[in-house]
Amino acid sequence: MISAQRRALILEYLRREGAGSITRLSETVGVSASTIRRDLEALTQSGHLERSHGGAVLKERLQTTFETAREIVVHVAHDAKMKIGARAATLLEPGQSVIFDSSSTVLEAAKAAVRRDFKLTACTNDLGIANVLARAPEFHLVVLGGTIRQGSPTMVGDPGLSFLDRLHADIAYIGIHSLAGGRLSETSIDVAAMKRRMVDSAAHVVVLADSSKFKHPAFCDVCGIAEVRTIITDTGIASADHDKLKDAGIEVIVAK
């Protein structure tokens, strides 16, 4: 198991339990206590955790610009993301035009869409997702272009932003950092601007977000929840969050 996978498992455990001892984390992840100590030290230095006596606790978010490293985030809540992505792909119909936002959950939707093997016009601002979509011989793939964010396959800025102004897609699959407070928000102004333009370019906006995304707002608003038609999430969504979305007229799909 690579370090990113181990650290994702640690974060998932602490997200569920709130805290964990080195002994318990060692048993859960299946590695030695010394390896867990090194992982906890790395996660503490990167701002994810606070060390406690004999273990660690998940750090309460204080920075709205905080981002988990891409190599870790792809492994966090992976089962939930796979289920959300698979459910999202069932909404697609042959011949549609679809925007695939840059997101680890949307990546799973792209993989599931490729397995369906029908004609689709697919647009994305993510090099990793583009690589997946390119495997489908029936897909017409449009890569939006832009500047690559450091440490990420995400493209932001022009020419992608300007290109989106001219697009009229049937569906946009949007990943998001936060759905707290009835707003979609992101840690980066550039990323938020790209998602905002995607929302404006699509007739049907579908947000793919695991249940952890409802807790803390991020730095920059993308749009209000009223601009979203459908949210696909996992079974961990709190009943209060589910009810608020339904009351706002949002279709909520819980992937199981």
Side-chain angles (χ1 to χ4, degrees), residues 1-10 39 43 71-72 75:
M1 187 184 300
I2 63 174
S3 61
Q5 290 174 308
R6 294 196 311 270
R7 292 166 190 177
L9 288 174
I10 291 169
D39 286 338
L43 288 168
E71 63 268 21
I72 295 177
H75 298 291

Side-chain angles (χ1 to χ4, degrees), residues 25-48:
L25 290 169
S26 176
E27 294 170 352
T28 300
V29 180
V31 295
S32 67
S34 60
T35 299
I36 290 294
R37 288 190 185 92
R38 289 195 295 272
D39 286 338
L40 292 182
E41 184 62 30
L43 288 168
T44 300
Q45 290 180 356
S46 61
H48 292 83

Side-chain angles (χ1 to χ4, degrees), residues 171-190:
I171 297 179
Y173 285 146
I174 304 296
I176 201 68
H177 193 85
S178 172
L179 279 165
R183 308 288 300 176
L184 279 68
S185 58
E186 270 296 336
T187 57
S188 158
I189 292 173
D190 289 340

Side-chain angles (χ1 to χ4, degrees), residues 211-225:
S211 53
S212 69
K213 303 298 178 71
F214 292 86
K215 294 182 179 179
H216 304 285
F219 179 63
C220 184
D221 277 353
V222 174
C223 65
I225 201 70

Side-chain angles (χ1 to χ4, degrees), residues 86-118:
R87 183 66 179 87
T90 67
L91 303 181
L92 297 176
E93 298 177 5
Q96 286 184 316
S97 55
V98 185
I99 296 172
F100 291 87
D101 178 29
S102 182
S103 152
S104 58
T105 311
V106 177
L107 172 62
E108 298 302 325
K111 291 176 181 177
V114 167
R115 292 194 291 269
R116 293 200 62 191
D117 191 27
F118 54 48

